[in-house]
Amino acid sequence: MGSFCNTTTLHPLTARVTQGWLKKFYGWEILPHPPHSPDLSPSDYHLFGPLKRELAGKRFDDDEELVDHVRKWLQNLDGSFFREGIYSMMRRWQKCVDRLGCYVEK
């Protein structure tokens, strides 16, 4: 599988410049991405499930306590957690391409 870059959160001008740079210097293929596709968004398919399990049954006195808890949880995650999320995104992208853009459940 080749290298892919997801530039959906970039400003349009920045995205064009970044895409040109990545293609020129790294030969990366830049794939179009729908505005919101939960099957292709690492936060939706990789982060929110474990975070939901982490927060299940917990009570917080205020927003600051919740934010602090989530921040500590994220800092304590092993690097492999994030690496797997990125690799999973590449597999999901390929499934989406293979299915001509259709939804990818798993």
Side-chain angles (χ1 to χ4, degrees), residues 4-10 15 19 29-45 88-90 92-94 96-97 101-104:
F4 301 98
C5 179
N6 181 354
T7 58
T8 57
T9 60
L10 296 175
Q19 289 171 7
E29 178 183 358
I30 309 300
L31 300 175
H33 192 284
H36 180 71
S37 184
D39 53 326
L40 298 177
S41 175
S43 57
D44 285 350
Y45 69 77
S88 181
M89 180 178 68
M90 293 185 324
R92 286 168 175 265
W93 264 105
Q94 189 60 54
C96 183
V97 169
C102 293
Y103 184 76
V104 177

Side-chain angles (χ1 to χ4, degrees), residues 24-73:
K24 179 178 179 181
F25 291 105
Y26 293 101
W28 285 13
E29 178 183 358
I30 309 300
L31 300 175
H33 192 284
H36 180 71
S37 184
D39 53 326
L40 298 177
S41 175
S43 57
D44 285 350
Y45 69 77
H46 189 71
L47 178 64
F48 292 151
L51 179 57
K52 184 177 176 181
R53 287 187 293 277
E54 169 63 24
L55 297 175
K58 292 185 171 68
R59 301 274 183 221
F60 301 95
D61 293 328
D62 54 37
D63 289 349
E64 186 176 324
E65 187 179 351
L66 168 64
V67 168
D68 186 53
H69 182 87
V70 171
R71 185 174 287 126
K72 287 177 183 173
W73 177 77

Side-chain angles (χ1 to χ4, degrees), residues 7-18:
T7 58
T8 57
T9 60
L10 296 175
H11 184 275
L13 176 59
T14 305
R16 272 195 303 277
V17 171
T18 302

Side-chain angles (χ1 to χ4, degrees), residues 42 45-46 80-90 92:
Y45 69 77
H46 189 71
S80 63
F81 175 84
F82 299 101
R83 196 169 26 260
E84 176 54 34
I86 297 302
Y87 288 135
S88 181
M89 180 178 68
M90 293 185 324
R92 286 168 175 265

